Amino acid sequence: MRIIAELPHPEFKVSIFNMNQKYIVKIEQGTLEQSYKMDEMDLTDGVNSIFELLDEEFLKTVSTRFAEMRRDYQNAYFRYNY
């Protein structure tokens, strides 16, 4: 797996990888991570298509999902310790 691009964003680290005819988009925020896999054949313009997919609306849902993930982890951690 090799990194082929990074997308600057103020809230996340967004890395795009290429492996086995797939693009893998990895979005990190602190200790949390979301990843999305896409077949190369499904994208007409290669990595440029990924930049188009990662629009403002999509990144808003990513942010919301990170908040949900953090809350889920905190709730589980609280149940474990108390």
Side-chain angles (χ1 to χ4, degrees):
M1 182 162 59
R2 66 182 184 94
I3 190 164
I4 57 171
E6 289 188 354
L7 177 68
H9 192 276
E11 289 183 58
F12 323 119
K13 179 180 179 186
V14 181
S15 305
I16 302 170
F17 298 87
N18 185 257
M19 183 177 80
N20 299 334
Q21 291 80 42
K22 290 194 185 315
Y23 291 113
I24 301 165
V25 177
K26 183 166 88 167
I27 306 170
E28 300 172 82
Q29 187 180 56
T31 60
L32 301 174
E33 177 181 304
Q34 297 177 45
S35 61
Y36 301 86
K37 295 180 183 177
M38 295 161 249
D39 285 328
E40 283 182 1
M41 302 299 282
D42 292 341
L43 303 172
T44 57
D45 196 21
V47 72
N48 291 328
S49 294
I50 295 173
F51 289 129
E52 291 177 26
L53 285 169
L54 301 178
D55 63 3
E56 187 72 27
E57 184 176 343
F58 179 80
L59 292 175
K60 278 184 186 178
T61 62
V62 166
S63 182
T64 300
R65 193 164 296 116
F66 273 129
E68 292 169 355
M69 291 169 69
R70 189 170 290 102
R71 187 173 48 252
D72 292 344
Y73 177 77
Q74 289 170 341
N75 290 340
Y77 186 80
F78 182 78
R79 287 190 307 273
Y80 172 76
N81 283 306
Y82 301 103

